[in-house]
Structure formats: structure tokens, C-alpha cells
Amino acid sequence: FGTFALSASRFGFELYRESQLSLSFAEAVTPSVFGGVTVNYYSLSIQNYGAAASFGIDLGMLIDITDEIQWGFAAVNINAATIGEAKEKLPQIYRTGVAYSPARYGTILLSIEKDIRYAATLHLGVEYELMEMIALRAGSSTDPDVINGGVGIRYAFARLDYALSSHAVLGVTHQFSLSLNLGEL
């Protein structure tokens, strides 16, 4: 019946906090074409100014062109959601990219991202499956220049991912995710 996902993220501290709760659904349209939709609940809280919330909708698709090549497209915030009394526009982003897996244990990824307010950004990444359970990742992007590295560990129905990003202005950011594939229980 397809795949459901639930995710939550939080950025900031008591003076300024952004939160996001997302519910996603994806399904195979054909054996080589996949589509999905995400509904996002955005929340913003600024001390002494109050809090606001909004909903946004994302759409995406993935196509297996060959056994080694996949192409994908995503549109973020297609409903042009705004937040707060000032109706601050939330980012509207379009992404497209190609993944090439020339070998069983490696993947090369190239994508372009366009926020409607800024210049396009180019992303390049590689993933190497060191063992069946461990994947190493590295990547970079332009405008702004960001360098990334990470590792993923998969065991039974659980997956733990860690990424480190280095941004020229914002410095170093750490990201963690824990994924549970309940269909494999």
C-alpha cells in the first residue's frame, strides 16, 4: 500500500526556535516510477515576539532510467506557505538530480537546487558501502560553499546516520537521524 514516514526536526534554543513535523507518503506508480507527497507543519517561536505556525506541501518523483541510473525531482512548499502576522514566505525550492551506481558498493550523485529567491546551487556527492552495514558519504555544494561528510550504520530494521557540514559563515553543523523500517519487523 505504499510507504509512510514521520519526521521531526528542531533548530534553535529558547530565544529562537524553528520546529517541523512532517508526514510523508510514497508509492510505486509503475515498477520504475515512484511518487510521493509530504505535508509539513512548521512552527516558529521567538521570545518576546510570540509564536506562529503554518502548513506546507512537498511533491517528488523518482524514475529508474536503467539499473545504474536514477533521476529524481522534488518541489518543496508548492502551496507557497507563509508564516506569522507579516506573512513571511517560507522557502520554495525545486530540486532535480541524477544518481549513478557504476558498482554494487558505490553511488555518485549530482543535483541542482533552486530556491526561487536565490541563485541555483550545484551539489555533488559520493557514497561508498564499506561493509553491508556501514556506508561512508562525502559531498559538497556551491553558493554557499559547503563541505559534508557522514556515515550510515544499518542493522536489522534500524538505521543510524550522522553528517557533519562545514559552512564558511555558519561553521560546523552536526546532524543525526534514526530511521526504523517497521515493515521489516
Side-chain angles (χ1 to χ4, degrees):
F1 181 66
T3 301
F4 285 94
L6 180 66
S7 69
S9 66
R10 192 162 136 171
F11 171 80
F13 55 104
E14 61 273 357
L15 297 178
Y16 177 91
R17 177 163 291 133
E18 294 178 15
S19 301
Q20 181 176 335
L21 183 64
S22 302
L23 178 63
S24 302
F25 173 76
E27 178 153 35
V29 178
T30 72
S32 62
V33 177
F34 310 87
V37 62
T38 298
V39 177
N40 302 293
Y41 173 75
Y42 303 103
S43 173
L44 173 65
S45 174
I46 304 174
Q47 190 175 29
N48 299 329
Y49 288 93
S54 185
F55 286 93
I57 299 171
D58 306 342
L59 293 176
M61 66 181 294
L62 179 69
I63 298 174
D64 290 334
I65 296 173
T66 68
D67 288 343
E68 295 86 22
I69 300 173
Q70 292 180 309
W71 171 74
F73 174 81
V76 176
N77 188 21
I78 62 166
N79 61 319
T82 60
I83 196 164
E85 290 180 26
K87 303 289 185 201
E88 180 73 25
K89 291 182 179 181
L90 295 172
Q92 278 187 280
I93 301 170
Y94 299 94
R95 296 181 182 112
T96 188
V98 176
Y100 174 56
S101 301
R104 180 173 176 237
Y105 300 109
T107 303
I108 301 167
L109 304 110
L110 178 66
S111 70
I112 189 164
E113 175 180 292
K114 176 67 175 106
D115 183 319
I116 64 169
R117 301 170 297 175
Y118 304 109
T121 302
L122 186 64
H123 301 266
L124 175 65
V126 294
E127 179 182 76
Y128 178 72
E129 194 174 297
L130 188 62
M131 306 169 160
E132 190 173 316
M133 295 175 16
I134 300 174
L136 301 177
R137 302 180 185 110
S140 65
S141 65
T142 62
D143 200 17
D145 294 331
V146 178
I147 297 173
N148 305 289
V151 62
I153 300 170
R154 187 176 60 239
Y155 182 74
F157 65 90
R159 181 173 171 164
L160 177 65
D161 291 292
Y162 167 74
L164 175 102
S165 297
S166 176
H167 186 284
V169 176
L170 301 177
V172 174
T173 301
H174 301 273
Q175 297 178 349
F176 296 91
S177 74
L178 174 63
S179 304
L180 304 175
N181 187 343
L182 303 178
E184 292 185 10
L185 286 177

